[in-house]
Amino acid sequence: LTLEDVLHIYEREKCWGAIAQFGGQTPLNLALGLQKNGVNIIGTSPQSIEIAEDRKMFAAMLNKLNIPQPPNGLATNAEEALVISKRLTYPVLVRPRFVLGGRAMQIVYSDSELSHYMKFAVEASPERPVLVDKFLEDATEVDVDCIADVGLPNGGTIVIGGMLEHIEFAGVHSGDAAMVLPLHSLSQKVIGIIRDYTHAMAKELKVIGLMNVQYAVKGETVYVLEVNPRASRTVPFTSKAIGKPLAKIAAKVMAGKTLKELNFTEEIWTKYWAVKESVFPFNRFHGQDILLSPEMRSTGEVMGLDADLGTAYAKSQMAANSPLPVSGKVFISVSDMHKDEVAEVARQYTDLGFELIATGGTATILEKAGLPVQRLYKISEGRPNAVDLLKNKEIQLVINTPSGAVPRADEIKIRTTAVYTGTPIMTTLSSARAAALGIAALKKSGYAVKTV
């Protein structure tokens, strides 16, 4: 979609105005140019959009509001990127200034990776700077969708439509991450901070319509990752979960109605759990690793609803075509950085009656923790190995976290074989914990369907 295309339609249809909030990143990039060519941009002004999109203006706004963001910098060439990364320390998240669907976004762990990225992945220049952010490992990511009319002459109301907590840690694209609404593991203090920051930014940007904020929570500190003064991809999910058509309400706000006139002034905190899970096309692309990253790969999403969080998660997995097993064997292989936590997760599965299978390093840790485990060869060591057992349907669940920035060939074979054999696979310990919660709920009381 180009400026010229939109202008032709606008002039031919003799439009009163154009809404830039419902088409993702593309219309935001076009908004300022459209306004300069006489288009009446309805809703949040292009000037406010620019503040959210321009890294320097955005940082100035956050400093003014005393809201923290991860340490970051702008690089126009490889040398500048290396200087910034030395200041921030690895890992860092790199991406072009304007990205669609997380394209060309990457978490890098070394100078050589960063140099390779700057040389082959992007065309960096003063006009096209690359953003370098400190990557917050093991942080909990939160998406917030809000609606506001503060930019209207008689407005001033801000309502949070929903706060969604990612099941995977920060670093997975929000279009791919499994999410839970409402928040389930964060303290009331943190929830209050998220609410305060969202309201402050909506006021400062004079939002008319929708705004999405992505936060990373580490301990009790809440960092703003980015703000989008538009509808995000989570709006349809949030709308269905809370029973309010946020896009329709936002469109009416942009056309001049206040939220008070539309009788939508209170945040809705549901009494049930809504879990969003993504659907991936990996079984159609043989040899493609299934690891999730900042670059979006999903082709759809599903929803699980229940009064019990575990059951809601289990329902979402059924809908995404990987129903959770309630018995059998779990194969576990984790990277060195997850070795400290793996025994606690594995114990959840033995408590549920599952047998554990693991390769050397992980098996040693599980045995030290007093857990019974069947040792298995690595693929490079001989047979039988995990791929053999997966093909023979002897493994019912796989827990496999990546070992560093570049996954080993063995890991990719295990993950892709799990996909082809229809075996549920968890690539983060947080999703493995969620799966254990879901299995426990299914074993305890099964699941039911309830009309609302």
Side-chain angles (χ1 to χ4, degrees):
L1 194 66
T2 67
L3 189 68
E4 195 176 4
D5 296 328
V6 181
L7 287 171
H8 282 161
I9 295 166
Y10 189 84
E11 288 158 10
R12 177 161 178 169
E13 296 298 322
K14 299 182 173 56
C15 300
W16 166 64
I19 290 174
Q21 287 187 26
F22 294 130
Q25 190 64 45
T26 303
L28 293 194
N29 296 351
L30 297 176
L32 206 56
L34 288 169
Q35 190 186 54
K36 285 175 183 171
N37 281 277
V39 173
N40 172 28
I41 298 294
I42 304 166
T44 306
S45 74
Q47 286 68 33
S48 289
I49 292 170
E50 196 179 14
I51 292 170
E53 297 291 324
D54 184 280
R55 183 46 65 104
K56 288 179 181 172
M57 293 166 79
F58 181 57
M61 180 189 83
L62 294 183
N63 288 337
K64 177 184 172 184
L65 299 174
N66 201 25
I67 296 174
Q69 67 176 142
N72 60 76
L74 276 174
T76 59
N77 54 50
E79 291 72 28
E80 287 180 10
L82 289 166
V83 170
I84 293 165
S85 66
K86 189 166 275 189
R87 171 170 60 85
L88 302 182
T89 70
Y90 290 107
V92 295
L93 178 70
V94 285
R95 56 190 161 138
R97 188 171 164 216
F98 292 112
V99 292
L100 304 175
R103 275 189 302 204
M105 285 176 73
Q106 194 175 320
I107 300 164
V108 299
Y109 294 81
S110 66
D111 284 357
S112 59
E113 272 184 74
L114 184 58
S115 298
H116 186 271
Y117 175 87
M118 295 298 291
K119 189 174 181 182
F120 296 107
V122 292
E123 283 181 54
S125 68
E127 294 76 41
R128 290 178 170 179
V130 170
L131 308 181
V132 185
D133 291 303
K134 172 65 182 168
F135 178 64
L136 302 169
E137 290 187 283
D138 294 343
T140 300
E141 195 161 333
V142 175
D143 258 78
V144 176
D145 289 319
C146 87
I147 192 163
D149 63 10
V150 289
L152 293 177
N154 52 345
T157 308
I158 300 161
V159 182
I160 290 177
M163 298 186 191
L164 296 91
E165 182 174 336
H166 292 214
I167 289 172
E168 291 85 6
F169 287 126
V172 173
H173 192 282
S174 61
D176 286 353
M179 299 186 193
V180 180
L181 182 152
L183 304 181
H184 68 100
S185 72
L186 302 177
S187 68
Q188 286 302 314
K189 178 187 174 186
V190 166
I191 293 169
I193 292 169
I194 290 171
R195 190 175 285 120
D196 290 346
Y197 287 175
T198 305
H199 280 242
M201 288 186 289
K203 270 184 198 160
E204 186 66 24
L205 291 169
K206 300 181 177 63
V207 171
I208 304 170
L210 284 157
M211 181 180 85
N212 169 264
V213 191
Q214 290 172 19
Y215 294 100
V217 180
K218 189 134 182 167
E220 295 280 277
T221 306
V222 178
Y223 298 92
V224 172
L225 298 179
E226 62 179 278
V227 174
N228 291 302
R230 59 170 169 84
S232 76
R233 68 185 74 256
T234 51
V235 162
F237 174 86
T238 303
S239 298
K240 185 164 276 196
I242 67 171
K244 291 286 183 182
L246 295 178
K248 181 183 275 190
I249 293 168
K252 288 182 176 177
V253 166
M254 286 183 260
K257 291 271 189 186
T258 66
L259 287 168
K260 284 181 181 170
E261 288 173 319
L262 296 169
N263 199 27
F264 185 60
T265 57
E266 296 293 323
E267 186 179 331
I268 296 169
W269 201 271
T270 58
K271 291 184 171 61
Y272 48 83
W273 301 99
V275 177
K276 173 182 96 72
E277 182 55 281
S278 300
V279 178
F280 298 95
F282 296 128
N283 59 346
R284 296 171 189 271
F285 296 95
H286 285 242
Q288 174 71 45
D289 193 13
I290 67 164
L291 274 188
L292 302 181
S293 72
E295 191 162 344
M296 183 175 160
R297 293 174 168 191
S298 65
T299 51
E301 59 185 45
V302 294
M303 183 180 202
L305 284 178
D306 204 88
D308 176 84
L309 177 56
T311 309
Y313 183 79
K315 285 179 177 179
S316 74
Q317 300 310 296
M318 289 174 206
N321 294 323
S322 358
L324 297 172
V326 291
S327 62
K329 295 181 177 179
V330 179
F331 172 74
I332 304 177
S333 174
V334 298
S335 67
D336 290 342
M337 66 185 287
H338 298 120
K339 291 276 188 342
D340 291 345
E341 303 170 68
V342 69
E344 168 255 324
V345 174
R347 195 177 301 281
Q348 292 179 7
Y349 285 90
T350 56
D351 290 347
L352 289 166
F354 284 85
E355 296 175 50
L356 304 180
I357 305 175
T359 50
T362 304
T364 300
I365 288 164
L366 299 180
E367 285 165 351
K368 280 182 182 172
L371 294 169
V373 58
Q374 176 189 335
R375 280 179 172 265
L376 201 61
Y377 287 123
K378 290 182 177 176
I379 294 171
S380 55
E381 292 172 345
R383 309 180 81 163
N385 54 52
V387 168
D388 296 324
L389 268 61
L390 281 165
K391 286 178 178 175
N392 294 338
K393 300 284 185 181
E394 293 177 52
I395 292 172
Q396 280 65 52
L397 181 74
V398 174
I399 299 169
N400 176 243
T401 66
S403 57
V406 182
R408 291 195 293 260
D410 279 16
E411 294 176 10
I412 296 173
K413 279 182 188 166
I414 291 168
R415 289 193 285 263
T416 52
T417 306
V419 170
Y420 305 148
T421 56
T423 309
I425 175 165
M426 306 293 153
T427 57
T428 63
L429 289 185
S430 51
S431 56
R433 290 187 186 95
L437 196 66
I439 293 166
L442 289 178
K443 286 174 78 83
K444 183 182 176 185
S445 51
Y447 67 95
V449 176
K450 181 183 175 186
T451 55
V452 181

